Every structure is written in C-alpha cells, then in structure tokens.
Amino acid sequence: MNYDNIISEVNNGIATITINRPSKLNALNKATIQELHSAFKEADEDKGVKVIIVTGSGKKAFVAGADISEFADFSVAQGKELAAKGHELLFDFVANLSTPVIAAVNGFALGGGLELAMAAHFRIASNNAKMGLPEVSLGVIPGYGGTQRLPQLVGKGRAMEMIMTAGMIDAQTALSLGLVNHVTAQEELLDLAESIAAKIMKNSSVAISAAIAAVNANYEDGLNGFEQEIQKFGEAFGTEDFKEGTTAFLEKRKAEFPGK
C-alpha cells in the first residue's frame, strides 16, 4: 500500500514501518494512526513477515508525541473517544499482535510516542534518545496506555515520578530502568534491531505468537496468566512447528519451521 505519513517495507522476513513526518517530529495525528494500523495489520497477516520493526524517520525523533492541534478544543466525550479509538486502532492492537514488534527508538519518544514504543513487545534505543510522558504539563494525562504500561515496565514509583514531573529520561536511564533492552549508536540502531530480529526468526513463529498471548494474559483483568500458559503450552503439541522442532532436535539438525 501507498501511505502519506509512513513508509512500510518488507525485506528478508522483516517488515520495517517508519513514521515519516519529519517536519512534525513524526507526531501522531489521526491519519498517521490509521495508516499505522493498516501497516501493522498488513504485516501481521503476511505469512512471509516474521518480525516487525517500528521506528521514526530522521535523526531527531521516534515520535515526539500526539498532534495536539487536532484535539485542543475537544469535549469530554470527544476526549474519551480519542483515547478509546487510539487503543483499538494502534496501541492495544500492537501490544496484542501475534507477530513480534520491536520499537527502535531513535531520538525523542514523548507522550504518544513513548506509548507506542511501550506497546511494542520490547524496545531498543539510540544513545541520543529521550523518553517521557509530558501530558500533565498540558492539563491532561497519558491516554494511550501510558499510565498502565509504564508502571508494568519500570515499577509504580518510577512511573509516578515520570508522569507527575512530566520530565524526560535519557537512553542510559531508560536502560537502567528496564524501559529499553539495549542502547546503541544511532547509526547502528536499525542494524541492531535487524540482528535481534534475525535471532527471533530462527525460532517458531507459531510458538512465539502463543508466548506473546501468554505473557500478555498476566496483565489482563479477568485472565489467569498461568492458566493461559498451560492452555497455550498444550495447544503447541498439536502444531506442525512442534513436530518439526522436536524432530529436528532428536535428529540433531536445524529446525525448518513452516511459519505462520
């Protein structure tokens, strides 16, 4: 598909989705959120895609936040709808995608940008990255999952401080808090993402999808993560990937998984 605000490319089993609004520091407006939804959906449904990398264009920003001009005059009802629609189309959608999503944070990841990165299954960052949730400085709170995912990743106290101060942290601090998994030079960021993706791609896509669902279940109200793990573990025994993986192990050869 052709997009106005993003670039989506597939190479060697990796879909790279780049938010491409450099003049706006890649801020998320409604059109960009809709295009991201379409690109993630298309990549997830492509049997040839094993890993998705999401990043921002240019050297300054991953995503500098939401496009405030779009909602500055919204009513209470419109504000609730904005958050609900955002979760449906992008943030919850990405978090629950069956294909692994790596956020390659190159520069500023603020507000909705950090929330998008946190919706990914894990994050890596360039050494010039800055991350934060500045919403309370605008008289609002994070509305795209920030109040929920940040405490899960860094702990309640750290999350409360970041949200209440509206401050930014640098990449090394994010690494020490567990918000990102790796930090590297900006020019090496996508290479690192692709290197990690290559390791993921050696394994069973079917099993990885089940593992994502099981891990996520621990954070869903009304779901018992251990029960979900037992269910997904049992279901794995009925897959072609399980047959191939165990057979390859016993035959002392490299497994060739059928894929999605």
Side-chain angles (χ1 to χ4, degrees), residues 171-198:
Q172 286 300 325
T173 302
L175 180 64
S176 70
L177 294 177
L179 185 53
V180 302
N181 291 17
H182 306 278
V183 173
T184 190
Q186 188 169 50
E187 59 270 19
E188 298 171 2
L189 183 64
L190 285 181
D191 287 342
L192 176 59
E194 290 169 2
S195 174
I196 296 170

Side-chain angles (χ1 to χ4, degrees), residues 65-85:
D67 196 330
I68 297 167
S69 64
E70 282 195 337
F71 58 80
D73 60 350
F74 271 19
S75 66
V76 170
Q78 288 173 310
K80 288 176 67 176
E81 174 64 17
L82 179 71
K85 199 68 176 176

